């Protein structure tokens, strides 16, 4: 069982989270009553009360509706110096957690987690700052995920177009993101989602499988779903037994879903919430790439994540589940847990599994 300190911290965390959600719900209701549009021009991707980490060197920030941060596994002086090494790195597209209503790609906890993933996986990490609810409800966050993956594909295409003999930048050079152009290998792309970010990652993966030409030359070779924010109308055993579990209890998470989905669309079997809903649409499960799922022992969402992995395995998709004892939801990504042995072990396990699919042929066992 989690220690006394974790239990006490969890109580205060849940009180503050519920207060935040209730305040957002009240603000959204007031805006609706006043006939106001509760979404800004580009929405909100970071709450004013959430601390942000300094930009990583090198880092990039797209000023559009889906800002992002880029992380490299090592320090490089310039894109041209990196390109001269003729070394391409896999790309990990990461989606943070926060119940669709909080969190950001620039938070201190997400920054530390992305640095860890970049270093352990020897990969570029692109952390996506998708729009938050209720200012931008479904499908805004999912659309932002698709948009960023298409943007990476565009960068790869522009990089190829702007390089001619001798590596001289020509047409289109001003629009090429230099770090992705210098480092990125679009044929080795992994999507990684944390909590609600796992729902986004799974949605974007399905889109990439369903219409690969839109994302060419990106190839999603695997996805990692860390304690996905799945739910459904028929409660599972864990949803009943652990409904009042640590940090994110079920009633609070349902409130988050009410903020994310419009009143007309709200359903716990919405395709965004339940990946096994009968009307989920999208490609057949047998077409999905290898999928690693991370779950926590004391997380009420665990059973539905296990069920999704089981369905993938039934159609011969490599879909292992890593189950960590004495852990809670977001045990490897929440700021208070980042330095724990479980968080470190989880990141190492993800890297070991991921390298099966992102290592160049002939180097799979060189780590």
């Amino acid at each position: 069982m989690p220690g006394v300190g974790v239990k006490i911290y969890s109580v205060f965390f849940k009180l503050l989270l519920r207060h935040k959600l209730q305040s957002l719900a009240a603000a959204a209701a007031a805006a609706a009553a006043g006939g106001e549009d509760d979404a800004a021009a580009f929405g909100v991707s970071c709450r004013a009360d959430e601390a942000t980490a300094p930009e990583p060197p090198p880092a990039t920030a797209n000023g559009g509706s889906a800002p992002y941060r880029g992380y490299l596994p090592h320090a490089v002086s310039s894109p041209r110096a990196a390109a001269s090494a003729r070394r391409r790195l896999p790309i990990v597209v990461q989606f943070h957690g926060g119940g669709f209503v909080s969190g950001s790609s620039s938070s201190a906890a997400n920054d530390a987690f992305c640095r860890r993933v970049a270093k352990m996986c020897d990969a570029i990490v692109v952390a996506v700052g998708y729009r938050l609810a209720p200012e931008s409800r479904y499908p805004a966050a999912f659309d932002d995920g698709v948009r960023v993956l298409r943007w990476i594909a565009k960068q790869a295409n522009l990089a190829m177009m702007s390089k001619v003999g001798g590596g001289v930048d020509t047409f289109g050079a001003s629009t090429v993101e230099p770090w992705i152009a210098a480092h990125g290998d679009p044929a080795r792309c992994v999507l990684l989602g944390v909590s609600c970010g796992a729902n986004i990652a799974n949605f974007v993966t399905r889109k990439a499988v369903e219409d690969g030409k839109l994302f060419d030359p990106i190839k999603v070779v695997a996805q990692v779903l860390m304690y996905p924010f799945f739910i459904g109308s028929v409660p599972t055993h864990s949803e009943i037994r652990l409904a009042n579990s640590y940090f994110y209890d079920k009633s609070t998470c349902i409130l988050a879903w009410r903020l994310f989905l419009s009143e007309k669309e709200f359903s716990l079997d919405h395709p965004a919430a339940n990946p096994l809903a009968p009307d989920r649409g999208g490609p057949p499960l047998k077409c999905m790439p290898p999928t690693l799922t991370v779950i926590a022992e004391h997380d009420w969402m665990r059973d539905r994540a296990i069920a999704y992995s089981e369905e993938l395995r039934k159609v011969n998709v490599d879909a292992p589940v890593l189950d960590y004892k004495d852990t809670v939801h977001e045990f490897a990504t929440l700021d208070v847990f980042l330095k724990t042995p479980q968080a470190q072990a989880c990141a190492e396990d993800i890297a070991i599994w991921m390298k099966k699919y992102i290592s160049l042929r002939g180097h799979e066992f060189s780590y």
Side-chain angles (χ1 to χ4, degrees):
M1 293 289 288
V4 174
V6 171
K7 293 178 180 179
I8 294 174
Y9 188 88
S10 173
V11 171
F12 287 101
F13 183 94
K14 288 199 285 187
L15 288 172
L16 290 172
L17 178 60
R18 179 166 283 274
H19 175 72
K20 174 182 281 190
L21 296 182
Q22 290 172 341
S23 298
L24 290 171
E36 300 175 11
D37 184 357
D38 61 354
F42 291 110
V44 174
S45 61
C46 180
R47 299 289 174 200
D49 59 347
E50 294 180 358
T52 60
E55 289 190 355
T60 49
N62 175 15
S65 59
Y68 64 89
R69 284 188 162 208
Y71 298 82
L72 293 174
H74 48 76
V76 180
S77 59
S78 71
R80 190 173 297 279
S84 66
R86 298 186 180 278
R87 181 167 178 254
R88 293 286 174 174
L89 299 172
I91 301 171
V92 177
V93 183
Q94 188 261 2
F95 302 93
H96 65 81
F100 298 112
V101 298
S102 63
S104 75
S105 60
S106 58
S107 71
N110 200 69
D111 178 81
F113 175 72
C114 288
R115 290 175 187 272
R116 178 175 288 175
V117 171
K119 182 178 180 180
M120 288 187 173
C121 297
D122 197 25
I124 298 173
V125 174
V126 177
V128 181
Y130 55 85
R131 288 170 289 173
L132 302 177
E135 292 86 352
S136 302
R137 297 179 186 264
Y138 174 85
F142 290 72
D143 288 346
D144 288 347
V146 171
R147 186 175 296 114
V148 167
L149 194 63
R150 291 186 67 181
W151 176 83
I152 295 172
K154 179 181 178 182
Q155 293 304 308
N157 284 319
L158 286 172
M160 288 186 286
M161 292 170 58
S162 63
K163 298 290 182 180
V164 293
V168 178
D169 293 337
T170 56
F171 176 75
S174 61
T175 61
V176 174
E177 205 293 317
W179 296 103
I180 290 180
H183 289 271
D185 182 355
R188 293 183 291 155
C189 183
V190 177
L191 270 55
L192 185 156
V194 175
S195 189
C196 68
N199 298 45
I200 300 173
N202 190 60
F203 175 87
V204 177
T205 298
R206 287 167 53 202
K207 286 293 184 183
V209 169
E210 190 174 28
D211 199 350
K213 289 184 179 180
L214 284 178
F215 302 92
D216 190 58
I218 290 287
K219 182 179 180 182
V220 178
V221 297
Q223 65 171 344
V224 179
L225 309 180
M226 299 182 68
Y227 19 82
F229 204 60
F230 295 156
I231 196 170
S233 59
V234 179
T236 65
H237 178 67
S238 66
E239 288 175 1
I240 296 171
R241 182 174 60 89
L242 299 169
N244 193 36
S245 56
Y246 304 96
F247 292 92
Y248 299 90
D249 58 63
K250 186 176 179 181
S251 62
T252 301
C253 292
I254 290 176
L255 178 56
W257 276 110
R258 289 189 179 279
L259 290 171
F260 181 59
L261 299 173
S262 66
E263 184 176 350
K264 182 179 179 180
E265 288 182 302
F266 179 77
S267 168
L268 296 183
D269 284 327
H270 189 285
N274 186 353
L276 298 177
D279 59 344
R280 67 180 182 273
L285 291 181
K286 66 181 181 182
C287 298
M288 294 294 283
T291 300
L292 174 66
T293 301
V294 173
I295 58 174
E297 181 182 7
H298 301 287
D299 182 4
W300 64 265
M301 303 178 220
R302 56 180 280 120
D303 281 0
R304 210 167 294 273
I306 293 171
Y308 184 52
S309 294
E310 288 176 347
E311 291 301 312
L312 289 171
R313 288 197 296 275
K314 286 179 183 178
V315 291
N316 298 319
V317 175
D318 180 21
V321 175
L322 298 180
D323 189 355
Y324 293 85
K325 187 176 176 60
D326 292 332
T327 55
V328 300
H329 192 79
E330 287 227 50
F331 73 91
T333 45
L334 204 61
D335 53 0
V336 70
F337 296 123
L338 278 172
K339 295 182 179 180
T340 62
Q342 293 98 325
Q344 181 74 16
C346 180
E348 291 173 354
D349 292 342
I350 289 172
I352 290 170
W353 181 84
M354 195 186 295
K355 284 175 182 177
K356 291 196 300 181
Y357 299 100
I358 61 176
S359 297
L360 294 174
R361 187 176 298 276
H363 298 275
E364 291 87 347
F365 304 104
S366 63
Y367 294 92

